[in-house]
Amino acid sequence: MRILSGIQPSGTIHIGNYFGMIKKMIESQNDGELFAFIASYHALTSVKDKEFLQKNTFEAAVNFLSLGMDPDKSTFWVQSDVPEVLELYWILSNHTPMGLLERAHSYKDKTAKGIASNHGLFSYPVLMAADILLFDSNIVPVGKDQIQHVEMTRDIANTFNNTYGEILTMPKAKIDENVQSVPGTDGAKMSKSYGNTIDMFGSKKVIKKQVMKIVTDSKELDEVKEYENCNVYTLCKLFMNDEELLTLQKRYQTPGEGYGHFKLALLDKINEHFAPYEEKRNYYLNNPKEVKEILAHGASKARKIAQEKMRIIKDAVGLVY
């Protein structure tokens, strides 16, 4: 079983990325043949700063390796080091109805949030389809908001296969029902695009500032608080066990503490959770040559598979003569 997943290096990796995908991705190394990539081409839809993209691509690799990505167990690379994906993107574009793209929820949500509309953002699902189909992926672990993109990939693959034969593998989305969407500091889905994230690593001062920004209601210290729909409590559920959550529930129900106290409890759990990975992360940050060698090795493995798949696809559509 081949599993594929990727993440954009369009900003500092945050806890939404971790619980929404990275954690599951790393765990899936024991479930099948994992193909994991840093989606540098996708990042161009929002990043227009060369140094920013280079820095975040490197740091994304460092973070993945620190959190347990094993280049001996998986194929791990940077998307732009396997340019065959752009060849397939163009071929698939000719089998993608405009109406299909116009129905994409992600595009509508991002433009509604004020993100500038462009062709790259609009055709993002086609490039995602190319990522998936180029490697004959069977399983694609995604958050709830990405299910539609996998369904669109299946639609595109079905149209292509109806024309040229059973060449493209039909993927299936895999959803973690327990963590479908991680809320950001404003209560919306945590996303770099929305500026509502909480970092995993980096300055403790910055992380504290992000946590203290979490939106809550305006109940006073002497009032009982409701935990069920509280953004702070929802995030605490990611880090606390059942016993810790019961204790926190009692604190919500007992007058005398404010949301600031609960935010500090969350902050402690975030720092505690990611502390064991800091030493390995510092090692990779100080050994960039090793990180680049790991990525180059992964790209070499991925490209060998991609080139063979493109040979079959190009022959099918008539580009080999």
Side-chain angles (χ1 to χ4, degrees):
M1 182 177 67
R2 189 168 285 177
I3 305 162
L4 180 132
S5 196
I7 188 169
Q8 285 194 43
S10 51
T12 304
I13 291 178
H14 52 77
I15 64 173
N17 297 140
Y18 178 71
F19 286 104
M21 184 179 59
I22 297 172
K23 185 173 183 286
K24 291 181 287 184
M25 187 190 300
I26 290 171
E27 290 170 350
S28 69
Q29 291 180 111
N30 300 316
D31 300 331
E33 188 181 7
L34 176 66
F35 281 65
F37 64 96
I38 298 169
S40 48
Y41 282 139
H42 284 293
L44 293 175
T45 61
S46 58
V47 178
K48 304 296 187 284
D49 183 310
K50 170 186 172 180
E51 285 75 20
F52 182 87
L53 182 57
Q54 290 173 327
K55 175 178 178 290
N56 279 285
T57 299
F58 173 73
E59 289 190 359
V62 165
N63 290 335
F64 267 92
L65 294 169
S66 304
L67 291 164
M69 182 65 68
D70 186 341
D72 294 323
K73 281 186 176 182
S74 61
T75 301
F76 179 50
W77 78 101
V78 175
Q79 184 186 31
S80 50
D81 287 338
V82 183
E84 285 76 13
V85 72
L86 293 185
E87 286 189 273
L88 183 54
Y89 162 72
W90 177 248
I91 291 170
L92 295 179
S93 292
N94 295 284
H95 297 272
T96 305
M98 288 291 290
L100 186 67
L101 296 179
E102 288 167 349
R103 292 193 293 274
H105 302 315
S106 178
Y107 175 77
K108 293 176 183 176
D109 291 345
K110 287 181 177 178
T111 53
K113 285 277 187 177
I115 296 172
S117 173
N118 58 48
H119 177 261
L121 191 65
F122 184 69
S123 63
Y124 178 106
V126 187
L127 182 54
M128 182 170 169
D131 293 323
I132 296 167
L133 299 171
L134 184 59
F135 296 100
D136 290 318
S137 310
N138 305 111
I139 301 294
V140 185
V142 292
K144 187 178 179 182
D145 62 312
Q146 289 286 318
I147 296 173
Q148 186 191 37
H149 285 165
V150 179
E151 292 172 345
M152 292 168 78
T153 297
R154 290 173 60 86
D155 289 340
I156 295 167
N158 188 55
T159 301
F160 183 93
N161 286 345
N162 284 341
T163 304
Y164 298 109
E166 296 301 312
I167 293 172
L168 302 177
T169 299
M170 299 294 281
K172 291 183 179 178
K174 181 181 179 183
I175 311 299
D176 185 341
E177 296 296 339
N178 296 320
V179 185
Q180 291 191 343
S181 183
V182 177
T185 55
D186 59 356
K189 175 182 177 286
M190 189 175 290
S191 170
K192 293 181 284 284
S193 302
Y194 303 156
N196 62 356
T197 60
I198 299 172
D199 297 348
M200 287 190 296
F201 299 116
S203 165
K204 294 293 184 286
K205 183 178 179 180
V206 168
I207 296 173
K208 181 177 181 180
K209 184 177 180 181
Q210 292 170 333
V211 170
M212 299 309 286
K213 280 173 53 181
I214 297 172
V215 174
T216 63
D217 62 35
S218 55
K219 285 189 171 66
E220 300 291 340
L221 283 174
D222 58 353
E223 293 183 89
V224 171
K225 318 293 187 299
E226 294 181 7
Y227 62 84
E228 287 90 348
N229 297 312
C230 176
N231 295 322
V232 180
Y233 182 82
T234 301
L235 289 167
C236 283
K237 289 196 291 185
L238 300 171
F239 296 94
M240 294 183 177
N241 59 35
D242 290 343
E243 185 178 342
E244 290 170 324
L245 287 172
L246 280 173
T247 299
L248 184 59
Q249 288 173 20
K250 290 175 183 175
R251 291 175 63 184
Y252 268 80
Q253 294 165 346
T254 304
E257 288 190 284
Y259 289 109
H261 297 95
F262 307 144
K263 290 176 182 180
L264 290 175
L266 170 62
L267 178 65
D268 287 342
K269 297 302 292 186
I270 292 173
N271 291 333
E272 178 186 316
H273 186 90
F274 293 110
Y277 305 110
E278 286 281 3
E279 184 178 348
K280 198 171 183 182
R281 184 172 182 270
N282 288 332
Y283 169 80
Y284 284 121
L285 285 172
N286 292 315
N287 291 274
K289 183 179 178 183
E290 184 174 339
V291 175
K292 291 176 182 179
E293 287 173 351
I294 289 170
L295 292 172
H297 176 64
S300 177
K301 289 198 295 180
R303 196 164 191 197
K304 183 177 179 181
I305 294 167
Q307 287 174 334
E308 175 57 24
K309 188 67 180 181
M310 284 309 301
R311 184 192 65 78
I312 295 169
I313 292 169
K314 290 167 77 172
D315 181 53
V317 302
L319 295 175
V320 176
Y321 56 92

